Amino acid sequence: MLKFYYNPISPNARRVWLTLLEKEIAFEPILMNLDGDQLQPEFLKVNPFHHIPVLVDDDLQIVESLAIMDYLEAKYPTPSLLPKEHQALAKVRMVQYVTANELFPQIVSLIYENADSPQFLKATQHIDKVLLFLTELLGNSFYFGSEQLTLADIVAGIAVSSLPSLGINLNHYPKINEWTERLMQRPVWQKTKLSADDFEQFKRRVRILVKLRRRELNRGK
C-alpha cells in the first residue's frame, strides 16, 4: 500500500491528500507533526530535504507535490484528473504553476507582512492580477480545462479558498467565487476542510518559516 507522509495544514500536502481521496486510492497516512520529526534520520532517508509531502510506493520515494500528483494520475488514470486535449491540458498546467509561483508567495506576504506595509499592498495587487487571470482561464467552464474536476482545481482551490480568511473578498470575482463554492460542496473537500484553529496554526508556521529564512539570508550577506 502507498505510504503518504503529510500534515493537513500544509497546502502542498493537501494537494496530494485531495488527489488521493478524489481518486479513491487506498493509502497509509503517516502524520508528520512538524515539531522536529521531519528532521529525524528515519524521515531524512525518505526525503533528505525534510519536507512534506512524500509518497512511498514500494521502493520508489517521490517528493514534490506536483510530481506526486502526476505519478498518481499516471498510475491510477481512473477517474481522470487531466484532460487529454492539448489546449485544455495547457490550461491545467498554467493554473498549477501560476498558483505555485504567482499566488502562493503573495499569500505568504498577506500572512507575514503588516497590513499597512508596501509589501502587503503589493501582494493584494498581485493577487488581483492572478484572480483576473484565473477568471479568464476558467471562462464558463465548471472546472479548469474541463467540465470535470482536474488537478488544476485541486492546486488552485486550496490556495484560493484561503483568501477570504486573509481579507480578500472573492465576491469581486464572481466566476472564481462560484467555482470555489462548487469545490467546497464536494464531499472530499468538506471532509478535509481546515478548522479555524488549523488555519491559525498554518499562519503561525508560515510566520516562523519566513522569519527563519530571512535570518539565514541576513547571515549570508
Side-chain angles (χ1 to χ4, degrees):
M1 182 180 292
L2 299 174
K3 292 183 178 180
F4 174 46
Y5 294 79
Y6 81 115
N7 186 297
I9 71 168
S10 163
N12 290 347
R14 285 176 62 77
R15 296 172 182 174
V16 177
W17 190 23
L18 282 165
T19 303
L20 287 163
L21 295 175
E22 287 284 3
K23 283 182 163 293
E24 299 183 346
I25 300 170
F27 65 95
E28 177 188 349
I30 301 176
L31 180 65
M32 304 291 292
N33 293 320
L34 305 178
D35 56 0
D37 53 359
Q38 76 275 25
L39 300 174
Q40 296 304 309
E42 295 80 7
F43 183 69
L44 293 177
K45 291 177 183 177
V46 177
N47 183 3
F49 306 111
H50 57 79
H51 298 152
I52 56 170
V54 179
L55 188 77
V56 178
D57 188 3
D58 292 328
D59 59 349
L60 178 63
Q61 300 169 351
I62 314 170
V63 302
E64 297 297 337
S65 60
L66 297 183
I68 297 172
M69 294 167 77
D70 279 346
Y71 178 78
L72 293 173
E73 178 66 17
K75 184 170 182 178
Y76 305 93
T78 305
S80 176
L81 296 182
L82 277 181
K84 301 296 188 291
E85 195 273 327
H86 60 282
Q87 290 190 7
L89 180 59
K91 288 183 179 181
V92 168
R93 294 309 192 198
M94 279 194 288
V95 171
Q96 288 181 300
Y97 288 109
V98 165
T99 300
N101 298 325
E102 302 294 340
L103 179 55
F104 193 73
Q106 310 311 320
I107 290 176
V108 171
S109 292
L110 292 187
I111 293 172
Y112 187 81
E113 304 293 347
N114 293 324
D116 58 352
S117 69
Q119 295 88 346
F120 189 94
L121 176 60
K122 184 178 179 180
T124 60
Q125 292 172 338
H126 200 78
I127 289 171
D128 175 68
K129 184 187 300 185
V130 170
L131 292 176
L132 292 175
F133 178 81
L134 293 179
T135 297
E136 187 70 22
L137 274 185
L138 182 63
N140 295 318
S141 298
F142 262 45
Y143 297 105
F144 284 105
S146 176
E147 293 305 307
Q148 306 298 323
L149 184 79
T150 71
L151 297 180
D153 300 293
I154 292 175
V155 173
I158 290 169
V160 173
S161 64
S162 71
L163 292 176
S165 298
L166 297 171
I168 303 297
N169 189 349
L170 293 183
N171 289 324
H172 297 156
Y173 314 90
K175 288 185 178 181
I176 296 300
N177 193 39
E178 292 172 6
W179 162 79
T180 304
E181 291 177 351
R182 194 176 302 127
L183 286 177
M184 295 303 112
Q185 290 169 5
R186 297 179 68 89
V188 165
W189 292 70
Q190 291 180 8
K191 177 181 177 181
T192 60
K193 183 179 179 181
L194 288 182
S195 67
D197 288 343
D198 286 338
F199 192 69
E200 287 302 316
Q201 184 182 351
F202 162 67
K203 291 197 295 182
R204 286 194 296 272
R205 182 158 182 80
V206 167
R207 294 187 186 106
I208 291 170
L209 290 175
V210 172
K211 189 174 293 186
L212 289 173
R213 188 172 301 169
R214 291 187 176 183
R215 187 179 300 167
E216 290 175 358
L217 288 174
N218 288 334
R219 285 176 182 171
K221 290 182 180 179

